[in-house]
């Protein structure tokens, strides 16, 4: 697979770091495509074992880190195919025009912590698959159902039975 900087219209995104990559492999192995490990890292046995179990290829390649990771402290990158999870009935959080990747990731992490796994996102909004959002979510993005809507009215029409506060 050819590595290139993340673009919103790409069909792939990246986890930057061992913890996020392990979370990807445990939670959404069907989306995982490949794992890159830097020559500068110590062997990560748990990660290698998961890749073998899930039949995910591992590539040792420092060039990928120069392209994808702006920080020098990232030694594992997981490549995954973007996915969609439909919202289901129940508790939802509706985010109207979230514009900061870090805040979006924190909200996802907090929602999952409180057992809320349905996130409606009103556009324009930050990209949930932006590696900055994925990193800020600490892997929570792999545990939520989400859908983008053009307006709050579109969301409210689809989920008429939900109580809105």
């Amino acid at each position: 697979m050819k590595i290139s900087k993340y673009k919103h219209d790409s069909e792939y995104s990246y986890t930057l770091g061992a913890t996020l990559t392990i979370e990807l492999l445990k939670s959404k192995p069907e989306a995982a495509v490949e794992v890159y490990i830097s020559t500068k890292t110590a062997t990560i046995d748990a990660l290698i074992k998961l890749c073998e179990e899930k039949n995910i290829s591992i590539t040792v390649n420092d060039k990928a880190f120069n392209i994808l990771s702006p920080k020098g402290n990232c030694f594992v990158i997981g490549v995954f195919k973007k996915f969609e999870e439909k919202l289901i009935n129940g508790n939802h959080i509706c985010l109207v025009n979230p514009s900061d990747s870090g805040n979006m990731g924190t909200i996802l992490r907090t929602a999952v912590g409180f057992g809320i796994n349905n996130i409606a996102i009103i556009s324009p909004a930050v990209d949930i698959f932006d590696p900055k959002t994925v990193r800020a979510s600490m892997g929570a993005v792999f545990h939520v159902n989400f859908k983008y809507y053009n307006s709050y009215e579109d969301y409210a029409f689809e989920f008429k039975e939900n109580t809105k506060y």
Side-chain angles (χ1 to χ4, degrees):
M1 175 176 182
K2 184 179 185 279
I3 293 294
S4 60
K5 284 202 177 275
Y6 177 77
K7 293 181 184 143
H8 176 72
D9 58 352
S10 171
E11 65 180 301
Y12 298 100
S13 186
Y14 310 100
T15 59
L16 302 176
T19 302
L20 290 176
T21 304
I22 289 171
E23 193 64 31
L24 164 67
L25 296 173
K26 287 181 176 178
S27 303
K28 291 271 188 237
E30 68 279 3
V33 175
E34 189 168 7
V35 172
Y36 288 90
I37 298 176
S38 169
T39 58
K40 298 173 187 166
T41 189
T43 302
I44 303 168
D45 295 330
L47 178 67
I48 293 170
K49 183 178 179 187
L50 268 173
C51 287
E52 289 171 354
E53 288 173 5
K54 308 293 184 185
N55 201 24
I56 306 296
S57 67
I58 298 173
T59 303
V60 177
N61 178 342
D62 287 335
K63 183 178 178 184
F65 294 86
N66 295 334
I67 295 170
L68 298 176
S69 182
K71 298 181 178 184
N73 63 350
C74 180
F75 303 107
V76 176
I77 295 174
V79 180
F80 67 94
K81 192 171 182 115
K82 292 180 180 179
F83 53 87
E84 279 189 35
E85 298 289 345
K86 293 184 178 183
L87 297 183
I88 59 174
N89 288 327
N91 290 334
H92 292 185
I93 291 178
C94 183
L95 304 175
V96 179
N97 313 123
S99 60
D100 183 86
S101 296
N103 289 346
M104 172 76 109
T106 300
I107 292 167
L108 295 175
R109 208 170 59 237
T110 303
V112 170
F114 279 102
I116 300 172
N117 299 77
N118 291 290
I119 310 292
I121 305 167
I122 310 303
S123 295
V126 68
D127 181 2
I128 200 166
F129 291 115
D130 184 316
K132 292 175 187 172
T133 305
V134 173
R135 187 173 196 147
S137 83
M138 295 301 294
V141 69
F142 303 122
H143 296 279
V144 297
N145 305 318
F146 65 90
K147 183 174 179 182
Y148 283 85
Y149 292 88
N150 291 323
S151 69
Y152 179 79
E153 292 73 24
D154 290 347
Y155 163 74
F157 181 78
E158 185 174 334
F159 290 96
K160 294 179 186 97
E161 70 283 354
N162 283 12
T163 303
K164 283 103 180 153
Y165 297 100

